[in-house]
Amino acid sequence: STDLTSTVGYDSIIQHLNDGRKNCKEFEDFLKERAIIEEKYGKELINLSKKKPCGQTELNTLKRSLDVFKQQIDNVGQGHIQLAQTLREEAKKMEDFREKQKLHRKKIELIMEAIHKNRNLQYKKTMEVRQMCCCFLPLGLLCYWWCTQALLHLPCLSHFWQLFLKLAQTKSALEDTDRSYQQSVTTMEKIREEWQNEHIKACEFFETQECERINYFRNALWLHVNQLSLGCVQNDEKYEDIRKSLEMCSIEKDVDFFVNLRKTGSLAPAPVVYENYYNAQRNMTPVRSPAPVPISR
């Protein structure tokens, strides 16, 4: 800004840096909320796999597939809990990065605040001296000229020395005022150069910080997406184990297994034959029972 005491540009930079810090905080809070959701989801899956019956009376290959299914659902739940922990760690890293930048930037801001204050005080002092010079020098010069003219027309020596002393005092005051003004301007210029150099250093530091923040934020977001993708891949691997287990499920084997496990014999019961007990006096030859017939599967 052409206004030496203006901080509008510096304030704009600080506001932008604070907005960037706020954006990092928002992403940090997003990760924390996502971690809560993942942890809750993982715990619900684990409870579901452990407490909810799912084909508990099945046998043989299908039972093994169901066991794999429940175990992998439990593993998926564990994976979500682990992802929640990973997200919390990433949120903590973002917080540490944000606070580290804040701490480093605070040092520069304190330097700039001090130099702004010194610059403004010196500028105010210089303007006051300048204003005094603007008002006092013309009047003093006029008084000095009047005194020199009066010396030429004094009636007595005492008046001459009084006026001469006053003239000398006026001249000395004029010279002191001008000298003070020159010194104030010189000091102001040194402070202006110092402020300008510090301002440039601060801007370079702030630019470096902003580049670091954008790069860190971009990488953090990229990493987060990769973590989610990895979670999906790991879940798909667990689901693939379930599919492989189901491929090993054999209907014929399960039926044979059940038959062999619960079999009671290989012969069917013999047919029931009629025996005549009504005519007990008749000596009837009893009918022989037919031989048992093996039952095929």
Side-chain angles (χ1 to χ4, degrees):
S1 174
T2 55
D3 182 4
L4 183 59
T5 60
S6 174
T7 59
V8 61
Y10 177 81
D11 294 340
S12 178
I13 294 174
I14 295 299
Q15 181 62 45
H16 179 72
L17 295 176
N18 289 335
D19 290 341
R21 182 170 176 268
K22 179 182 177 183
N23 293 336
C24 290
K25 181 65 167 61
E26 290 175 351
F27 182 65
E28 174 190 328
D29 292 339
F30 177 88
L31 291 178
K32 291 179 179 178
E33 290 294 328
R34 179 64 187 267
I36 293 174
I37 295 172
E38 291 291 340
E39 184 176 42
K40 182 179 179 181
Y41 180 57
K43 289 181 177 179
E44 291 293 337
L45 284 179
I46 293 173
N47 290 335
L48 178 65
S49 65
K50 289 182 177 179
K51 296 180 180 180
K52 190 68 175 178
C54 185
Q56 59 184 352
T57 60
E58 286 294 344
L59 302 172
N60 205 33
T61 60
L62 182 55
K63 183 180 187 304
R64 287 196 292 270
S65 294
L66 288 172
D67 290 341
V68 172
F69 167 72
K70 296 192 70 175
Q71 181 59 50
Q72 294 302 343
I73 292 298
D74 184 276
N75 291 340
V76 170
Q78 295 290 351
H80 282 282
I81 292 177
Q82 181 59 43
L83 176 59
Q85 181 60 30
T86 300
L87 295 179
R88 290 192 178 94
E89 292 173 358
E90 292 303 319
K92 185 63 171 61
K93 291 179 182 178
M94 177 63 78
E95 180 183 5
D96 292 341
F97 172 79
R98 181 169 51 82
E99 291 301 320
K100 181 180 178 181
Q101 278 209 331
K102 177 185 176 182
L103 183 63
H104 290 173
R105 188 166 71 242
K106 190 64 177 179
K107 298 177 182 178
I108 303 299
E109 290 180 11
L110 290 175
I111 294 174
M112 293 303 296
E113 288 176 4
I115 203 167
H116 283 162
K117 183 178 180 180
N118 187 32
R119 179 199 63 185
N120 293 345
L121 287 175
Q122 184 60 36
Y123 181 79
K124 181 180 179 181
K125 179 180 178 181
T126 302
M127 291 300 101
E128 289 175 351
V129 174
R130 179 185 179 186
Q131 183 66 24
M132 184 174 65
C133 289
C134 290
C135 298
F136 179 69
L137 282 177
L139 182 61
L141 289 173
L142 180 62
C143 179
Y144 181 79
W145 176 82
W146 179 81
C147 288
T148 55
Q149 294 298 317
L151 285 174
L152 301 176
H153 304 87
L154 286 178
C156 64
L157 188 61
S158 62
H159 289 169
F160 173 83
W161 285 113
Q162 290 177 359
L163 191 58
F164 183 80
L165 180 61
K166 185 175 182 181
L167 181 63
Q169 291 174 346
T170 301
K171 181 180 179 183
S172 177
L174 290 173
E175 291 175 349
D176 289 344
T177 301
D178 184 65
R179 191 180 304 109
S180 175
Y181 177 49
Q182 290 180 18
Q183 291 176 349
S184 181
V185 170
T186 301
T187 303
M188 181 71 247
E189 179 59 19
K190 290 181 180 179
I191 292 176
R192 188 197 66 79
E193 290 179 355
E194 181 185 4
W195 158 76
Q196 183 168 300
N197 292 334
E198 291 297 330
H199 184 81
I200 291 173
K201 291 179 182 178
C203 288
E204 291 174 347
F205 175 81
F206 293 150
E207 181 179 359
T208 300
Q209 268 208 335
E210 179 66 2
C211 292
E212 290 177 351
R213 186 192 68 82
I214 294 174
N215 183 62
Y216 190 90
F217 200 157
R218 171 185 175 275
N219 291 342
L221 189 57
W222 191 297
L223 178 61
H224 175 60
V225 174
N226 285 347
Q227 290 168 344
L228 296 179
S229 295
L230 179 61
C232 293
V233 172
Q234 291 174 342
N235 287 344
D236 188 64
E237 290 175 353
K238 296 176 178 67
Y239 299 143
E240 181 63 21
D241 288 342
I242 298 173
R243 287 189 286 266
K244 290 179 180 179
S245 177
L246 290 172
E247 289 176 352
M248 301 300 294
C249 179
S250 169
I251 299 174
E252 184 177 350
K253 288 181 180 180
D254 284 3
V255 173
D256 287 342
F257 180 84
F258 171 75
V259 170
N260 293 327
L261 180 66
R262 297 287 188 262
K263 65 183 179 180
T264 57
S266 60
L267 298 177
V272 178
V273 297
Y274 173 76
E275 295 184 16
N276 188 355
Y277 296 103
Y278 178 73
N279 191 355
Q281 296 179 356
R282 295 183 60 182
N283 192 10
M284 297 180 59
T285 302
V287 181
R288 297 178 59 185
S289 299
V293 180
I295 304 299
S296 62
R297 183 173 175 272

